[in-house]
Amino acid sequence: MILVAGSANLDFVVRAAHIPAPGETVLGQGFTTYPGGKGANQAVACARAGGAATAMLLALGNDAHALPLLASLESVRVRLHTLRSPDQATGCAFICVADNAENAITVAPGANLCLQSQHLPELQDVSHLLMQLEIPITTVTAYAQRAQASGVQVVLNAAPAQGLPPELLQAVDLLVVNEGELRALVTHPGTVVAMLRQLEVPSVVVTLGQRGCIARQQDAYVLQPAFKIAPIDTTGAGDTFCGTLAAHLGRGETLAQAMRTASAAAALACTASGAQSSIPTAMEVEAFLGQQPVVDQSQIDALKSYCGLDAS
Ligand code: RIB
């Protein structure tokens, strides 16, 4: 079983021509709410990817915003360990999606901050614990240490970007970050590969948007160029990647195999609006992969060059 411990937010989304600059007001084109939150998005992605069962530990308020979040997780049969906070509101995220598909997100964490070390359920039957950073970092550290002591693989998506305490990094088996998040973790900014070398974690995956992704596994590198799509909304694409990756690792696939499927799922997630609403099923991902051309050496070379791998 894959256990996700993390946030659930109701996303309040407005589309606009561009993301407002500080002090600017822009007129949007429409408003929608979607189930979101990095933890819940990853749990839905993991469940839609199939394979091992998915469970989630989350905290919600006793309010109406919690209802669509529960409904979305239950619709894909995620086994829920839900803490209800009597005095904190369910987490909310305020998202502006621009016409170029990029977004800006502000989170009001609310009940997500109520998750404490004592809330972690029994880890019997859990192969992987998947976490993010929208719950207290002390809680993430305590869960990672308990999982490590129980022989559970710890997968940490270090998002949103922040520095991590060494005791947390020591308990992580696989770290997944984007380039900005990677930069927040190292003392010496440099090429992607130079930054990857500074992290003392067994495996690290760096997602690079339209370029693809790279992983360092001990001293070896895995490269996966991105699949070409016409993006509408990139919200939740990183979460789709993480949830799908964990599901496929849970099936015993190699990191390279899991990265390929996770990249395809993340690409598809960019072609529809919203976070959980845009996460594809395993069948959709398989059909998409079946239509893809063989990877060109020039794509690999471009990715290597961007990451600074050819110069090392
Ligand atoms: O990664 C996207 C998610 O970030 C959104 O669903 C929002 O809730 C925030 O947690």
Side-chain angles (χ1 to χ4, degrees):
M1 184 185 307
I2 312 289
L3 174 65
V4 181
S7 60
N9 301 325
L10 187 61
D11 292 351
F12 291 77
V13 183
V14 181
R15 281 202 83 101
H18 64 270
I19 292 165
E24 184 187 7
T25 299
V26 295
L27 288 182
Q29 298 145 14
F31 161 73
T32 323
T33 59
Y34 295 103
K38 294 186 193 305
N41 297 344
Q42 294 183 20
V44 169
C46 191
R48 290 215 174 116
T54 307
M56 181 173 182
L57 169 64
L58 72 163
L60 299 169
N62 266 324
D63 51 29
H65 289 168
L67 302 178
L69 307 186
L70 288 169
S72 180
L73 289 160
E74 282 164 357
S75 74
V76 290
R77 297 201 172 82
V78 174
R79 298 176 197 182
L80 298 177
H81 301 270
T82 313
L83 180 79
R84 298 306 287 255
S85 166
D87 49 12
Q88 290 290 330
T90 294
C92 289
F94 302 89
I95 305 182
C96 179
V97 180
D99 281 349
N100 68 0
E102 286 180 351
N103 61 48
I105 305 179
T106 308
V107 174
N112 292 308
L113 297 184
C114 297
L115 281 182
Q116 301 293 321
S117 57
Q118 70 271 20
H119 298 130
L120 187 68
E122 286 300 314
L123 295 174
Q124 218 180 345
D125 301 332
V126 174
S127 65
H128 293 74
L129 173 66
L130 174 58
M131 297 186 288
Q132 318 72 31
L133 301 178
E134 288 185 335
I135 61 173
I137 194 110
T138 47
T139 302
V140 173
T141 305
Y143 291 176
Q145 289 174 331
R146 277 243 323 262
Q148 185 184 47
S150 309
V152 170
Q153 290 287 299
V154 177
V155 183
L156 177 66
N157 172 220
Q162 59 176 285
L164 297 180
E167 61 272 26
L168 172 55
L169 280 171
Q170 277 157 20
V172 170
D173 296 290
L174 170 61
L175 190 64
V176 185
V177 285
N178 66 22
E179 219 175 330
E181 292 151 3
L182 175 64
R183 208 167 291 120
L185 295 180
V186 298
T187 358
H188 306 293
T191 63
V192 171
V193 164
M195 292 192 284
L196 276 171
R197 290 201 175 122
Q198 294 170 49
L199 290 174
E200 289 178 23
V201 174
S203 301
V204 184
V205 177
V206 188
T207 58
L208 300 163
Q210 309 169 16
R211 297 177 193 277
C213 54
I214 181 171
R216 179 186 58 69
Q217 209 171 10
Q218 304 295 357
D219 292 329
Y221 289 91
V222 179
L223 294 148
Q224 173 63 56
F227 295 100
K228 295 221 174 347
I229 41 98
I232 288 177
D233 179 358
T234 54
T235 311
D239 299 330
T240 303
F241 182 95
C242 293
T244 310
L245 189 79
H248 283 262
L249 291 174
R251 291 180 189 183
E253 292 183 11
T254 64
L255 188 56
Q257 289 168 327
M259 280 166 65
R260 181 169 184 267
T261 315
S263 298
L268 282 174
C270 296
T271 62
S273 296
Q276 288 162 40
S277 51
S278 71
I279 298 170
T281 62
M283 273 175 69
E284 289 166 336
V285 175
E286 207 176 301
F288 176 76
L289 278 170
Q291 295 160 2
Q292 297 309 304
V294 176
V295 178
D296 204 88
Q297 187 57 39
S298 66
Q299 291 175 281
I300 302 275
D301 291 344
L303 190 52
K304 271 187 173 172
S305 161
Y306 180 77
C307 294
L309 195 53
D310 48 2
S312 56

